[in-house]
């Protein structure tokens, strides 16, 4: 590909599958990020290697992240917006995944919702839904590091055991627990101070009945509703509990926080925990760009286990 001034030819190594991408597929135009364009490659977060550069800030062989990555084997993009990743000789390629996982957008999303917005205090109880997912598994561990009692939900018995291994004090399978409100009250008899919500819908409705007075809710996602139609969408019935229990619900988009002090605090804390082996982060890797569409759709069926990424290529691989 012939490059214009300040352009990069990038070969993706890993592409990130994230729930927010569902809204970009709908073309409704009411989302906080632009819809995908019909007939053009979709794009998202990723890590890649530069094959050619007309920018004096980047050289062939540099590993980059930060900008948007087209779901192609190679693509040309303006150099602005990409961040060069320092690569040490002994670094494994899997360490790059941290840049789109624990140290990337999912990790920071968890940090902002739990730490920046909900201001957790030692001894409080937090409930994390979709706790084995890309964001949830970080929230569980950040909460434990702050001395909270952690209740976690996940969609299989295997996922439940995993979140317990991360430190969750109690965990249950929301697909087999029966009545949500009863299961929550059994797991947190005294109520919940902080609810980190990744699912919305009926579970959120039940949580409104189980919050303590002055409880805080981080509205990170509502994956149970992303495929809903006007006929199938769940209508929240217990919203009056926001008044009765004096609750605060925070809706937020993580991109608003990269320029704020929270980002440096997050990088400092989580990179330190990773280096010290204090954070576990499960990756669900799917090999091959040809498998990427189904890998993204599977997110909304809950068949992923951990942070889903597409491995497009290896660093030394020639395409």
């Amino acid at each position: 590909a012939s490059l214009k001034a300040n352009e990069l030819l990038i070969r993706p190594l890993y592409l990130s599958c994230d729930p927010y991408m569902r809204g970009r597929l709908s073309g409704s135009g009411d989302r906080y990020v632009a819809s995908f364009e019909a007939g053009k490659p979709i794009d998202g977060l990723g890590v890649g290697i530069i094959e050619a550069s007309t920018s004096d800030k980047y050289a062939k062989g540099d590993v980059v992240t930060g900008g948007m990555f087209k779901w192609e084997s190679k693509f040309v993009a303006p150099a602005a917006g990409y961040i060069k990743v320092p690569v040490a000789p002994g670094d494994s390629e899997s360490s790059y995944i941290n840049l789109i996982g624990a140290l990337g957008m999912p990790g920071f999303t968890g940090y902002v919702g739990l730490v920046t917005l909900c201001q957790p205090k030692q001894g409080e109880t937090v409930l994390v839904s979709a706790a084995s997912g890309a964001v949830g598994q970080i929230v569980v561990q950040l909460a434990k590091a702050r001395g909270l009692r952690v209740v976690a939900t996940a969609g299989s018995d295997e996922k439940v055991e995993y979140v317990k291994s991360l430190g969750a004090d109690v965990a249950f399978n929301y697909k087999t627990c029966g009545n949500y409100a009863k299961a929550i009250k059994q797991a947190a008899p005294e109520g919940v101070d902080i609810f980190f919500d990744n699912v919305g819908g009926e579970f959120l409705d039940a949580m409104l009945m189980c919050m303590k007075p002055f409880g805080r809710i981080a509205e990170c996602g509502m994956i149970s509703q992303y495929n809903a139609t006007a006929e199938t969408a769940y209508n929240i019935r217990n919203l009056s509990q926001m008044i009765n229990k004096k609750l605060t619900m925070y809706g937020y988009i993580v991109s608003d926080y990269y320029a704020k002090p929270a980002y440096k605090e997050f990088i400092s804390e989580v990179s330190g925990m990773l280096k010290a082996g204090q954070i576990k982060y499960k990756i669900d890797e799917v090999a091959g760009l040809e498998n990427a569409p189904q890998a993204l759709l599977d997110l909304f069926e809950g068949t992923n286990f951990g942070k889903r990424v597409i491995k497009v290529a290896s660093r030394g691989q020639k395409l």
Side-chain angles (χ1 to χ4, degrees), residues 22-295:
R22 177 62 184 85
R24 300 186 69 191
L25 287 167
S26 67
S28 61
D30 63 348
R31 300 284 291 173
Y32 50 89
V33 280
S35 296
F36 296 128
E37 292 183 54
K40 293 188 178 178
I42 70 171
D43 60 10
L45 303 173
V47 181
I49 191 163
I50 294 176
E51 296 226 323
S53 168
T54 54
S55 165
D56 56 9
K57 294 180 181 175
Y58 305 90
K60 182 178 179 180
D62 285 347
V63 175
V64 291
T65 187
M68 296 304 273
F69 285 70
K70 290 183 182 174
W71 284 30
E72 296 181 296
S73 55
K74 296 180 185 181
F75 66 93
V76 174
Y82 291 91
I83 300 166
K84 189 156 66 171
V85 178
V87 178
D91 283 354
S92 67
E93 292 203 356
S94 60
S95 68
Y96 302 153
I97 298 177
N98 285 333
L99 301 167
I100 51 174
L103 278 174
M105 182 272 288
F108 189 39
T109 299
Y111 185 93
V112 169
L114 178 70
V115 179
T116 309
L117 296 175
C118 288
Q119 301 278 314
K121 299 175 190 70
Q122 186 170 350
E124 289 189 318
T125 296
V126 59
L127 190 145
V128 185
S129 60
S132 68
V135 175
Q137 55 183 318
I138 286 287
V139 176
V140 168
Q141 294 172 89
L142 289 174
K144 284 311 294 179
R146 283 164 171 74
L148 276 73
R149 181 174 186 268
V150 177
V151 179
T153 71
S156 75
D157 292 346
E158 188 185 5
K159 291 177 180 179
V160 165
E161 289 309 309
Y162 173 66
V163 295
K164 284 181 181 174
S165 79
L166 298 180
D169 297 280
V170 185
F172 63 88
N173 183 340
Y174 73 88
K175 290 184 178 175
T176 57
C177 69
N179 182 280
Y180 287 159
K182 281 184 182 173
I184 296 162
K185 283 173 181 169
Q186 188 174 348
E190 295 176 14
V192 173
D193 297 286
I194 297 171
F195 173 39
F196 195 101
D197 186 18
N198 287 304
V199 299
E202 189 178 353
F203 197 89
L204 167 61
D205 214 12
M207 275 303 309
L208 288 168
M209 300 299 293
C210 301
M211 298 296 292
K212 286 185 185 178
F214 300 102
R216 293 90 77 201
I217 299 171
E219 272 310 324
C220 173
M222 295 191 173
I223 200 166
S224 72
Q225 301 300 296
Y226 291 167
N227 284 334
T229 63
E231 291 75 33
T232 63
Y234 182 88
N235 294 311
I236 299 291
R237 302 183 177 102
N238 296 321
L239 210 53
S240 62
Q241 294 301 313
M242 293 288 296
I243 304 166
N244 299 347
K245 295 184 175 180
K246 298 152 282 194
L247 305 177
T248 303
M249 184 184 282
Y250 297 98
Y252 71 105
I253 305 299
V254 73
S255 54
D256 293 338
Y257 291 84
Y258 280 99
K260 297 185 178 181
Y263 185 58
K264 286 184 179 173
E265 293 162 10
F266 156 73
I267 292 292
S268 173
E269 178 176 347
V270 175
S271 61
M273 292 174 78
L274 280 166
K275 282 176 189 163
Q278 295 168 342
I279 280 192
K280 288 165 63 174
Y281 196 74
K282 191 171 183 65
I283 298 294
D284 185 339
E285 186 179 299
V286 174
L289 194 57
E290 69 278 9
N291 296 315
Q294 191 60 49

